[in-house]
Amino acid sequence: MATIPKSCDVLVIGGGPAGSSAATHLAQAGIDVVLLERSVFPRNQVGESLIPHIWKFTDMTGVSEKIGQEGFIAKAGGITVWNDKVHQIQFSDFGYTRPGMHVERDIFDAILLQHAVSCGARVFNEVAVKNAGFSDKQWPEIFYTDKRGHSNYDGVIQCRYVIDASGHSSFLANQFKVRQTISSEMNFLSLWGYFEGSLFVGVDRRSHPPEALATVKPVTFVMSFEDGWLWHIVLRGKTSVGLVVPTERTKGMDKQQREVFFKQTCARLPYLDKLLEPAKFIEGSLQFRPDYSYYSDTICGENYYCIGDAAAFVDPIFSHGVQNALYNAAAATLAIKESLKNEKHRLRYSQLCESRMQQFYGFSRALALGDFGSNGVNPDLVKNLMKSLPPLELELILVASEMTNRSENFRQMAKEAGVLGKFEESFFGRESERMGMLAL
Ligand SMILES: Cc1cc2nc3c(=O)[nH]c(=O)nc-3n(C[C@H](O)[C@H](O)[C@H](O)COP(=O)(O)OP(=O)(O)OC[C@H]3O[C@@H](n4cnc5c(N)ncnc54)[C@H](O)[C@@H]3O)c2cc1C
């Protein structure tokens, strides 16, 4: 069993897409990086719909080919039925030459983590970080429990910089007590499970049996219902179905009652009932995530960076999570590389990184949560980002913002930033041509 070193330049907590990509960027720059991950990979994870934006980041770390070789399902775009209106987006209409994907996250995340190892990062699975000590006088100290081979050994590692990529557990934000949950009507939880034999929604707006995946490109299907929404994502051999509902909806329910609620809701909702008609629920597959959208006012400091879900989580209605994680990994490691070269400016680099990352989270929150996402969002940062986006990417997002009724705040910011352009008159733009009914 490899020995965990006593010190390193950068210590990464967590081996999800954020942590593994950060470790890869650093190792490729010849920086001594250690990553501690508490679970054994492949490990269970939700978040299976990936938008094509991820490729520019996987190209940067050189892992795109390995992802391509795995043969994940390529998706053409998304269809939403929101308040009974049908909207469709195809990535190819916006100049994307590479597809989005539906991925089994346990496999996808393992590819990224293995790539970090092959690039020289020292990765230790089954090692859980317990505490982080910061002081002005010495490097940060990270205290961990090594559970490898059924051991339970406590240790400490010193590092110059800490990257917290611990995902939903937001290790540092919780230790610093700066993590805030978005209250109000946007306080959701998610219940999701897996089905075998479900029909899938094709880019042709029709439903198809799983065998047709060889010939028809699927889309991610999203639908609003009452005060929540659902996703339907076809994978290889199974389909992920998730319900996002206000927290109070399942209040007081135990595991069994939640499962009954989930199955009954899936069976009664239009479109979804048809898609799941021939399908069988995979028993034991139901999972749930309370404590939905959250953020922290401070995510970077002189010697720490919180990235991915460790920094913030936005209702995943637009499948932004993994893209944000990869973006943050690139931004934080750029700041750390510069800081290692020029230590006296390290505070400045961390402040620059903080404002870039908050800009992205603010953008996602304004898009996915509308007015409710404005808690803690700096509108000027978001408007500047809108102004700097390539035209087709901006157009895709403006069209996407029409797909739900969530984006009022986003549209207002786009208007104030002066980027609405032709959408100001007719917001639906080219997407209006696609509105119509689904034949499921
Ligand atoms: C219901 C739901 C649906 C979603 N759907 C989508 C989607 O369709 N598309 C999309 O792009 N995103 C989606 N997301 C978001 C996406 O899953 C996350 O944004 C993404 O996984 C973030 O990656 P990460 O690396 O930050 O965190 P994670 O993937 O959560 O990885 C964090 C890692 O840190 C490890 N860890 C935690 N604490 C410690 C510790 N103390 N010590 C050591 N290791 C630790 C964990 O074991 C884990 O492996 C969804 C999220 C939810 C909740």
Side-chain angles (χ1 to χ4, degrees), residues 70-73 102-104 107 213 234-239:
E70 175 56 33
F72 291 116
I73 288 179
H102 286 171
V103 303
E104 297 81 17
I107 300 175
L213 279 168
V234 63
L235 298 165
R236 295 173 294 183
K238 63 182 180 183
T239 295

Side-chain angles (χ1 to χ4, degrees), residues 12-21 35-41 43-51 54 75 101-102 105 109 113 124-131 143-144 164-171 189-192 220 229 231 233 242-244 288-290 292 294 307-326 328 361:
V12 181
I13 308 170
S20 58
S21 301
L35 184 153
L36 305 181
E37 162 58 54
R38 69 179 171 196
S39 50
V40 180
F41 271 40
R43 56 94 178 86
N44 173 42
Q45 180 57 293
V46 69
E48 293 120 337
S49 152
L50 303 189
I51 50 178
I54 65 137
K75 69 160 175 171
M101 281 182 292
H102 286 171
R105 279 289 302 278
D109 289 11
L113 189 59
F124 299 91
N125 285 89
E126 289 186 275
V127 181
V129 172
K130 295 289 172 201
N131 196 13
F143 299 87
Y144 61 81
D164 178 12
S166 61
H168 182 248
S169 47
S170 300
F171 177 79
L189 60 73
S190 182
L191 293 161
W192 69 92
T220 303
W229 64 274
W231 76 74
I233 296 172
L243 306 178
V244 179
F288 100 114
R289 172 78 63 86
Y292 232 48
Y294 55 79
I307 64 172
D309 281 9
F313 176 70
V314 181
D315 187 332
I317 196 162
F318 292 109
S319 305
H320 265 173
V322 171
Q323 184 219 357
N324 272 350
L326 302 184
N328 286 185
Y361 284 121

Side-chain angles (χ1 to χ4, degrees), residues 5 47 77 87 105 129 157 164 166 215 250 302 334 353 360 388 416:
H87 295 255
R105 279 289 302 278
V129 172
I157 181 164
D164 178 12
S166 61
T215 47
T250 59
E302 228 169 334
L334 183 62
C353 188
F360 260 73
S388 69
E416 286 164 17

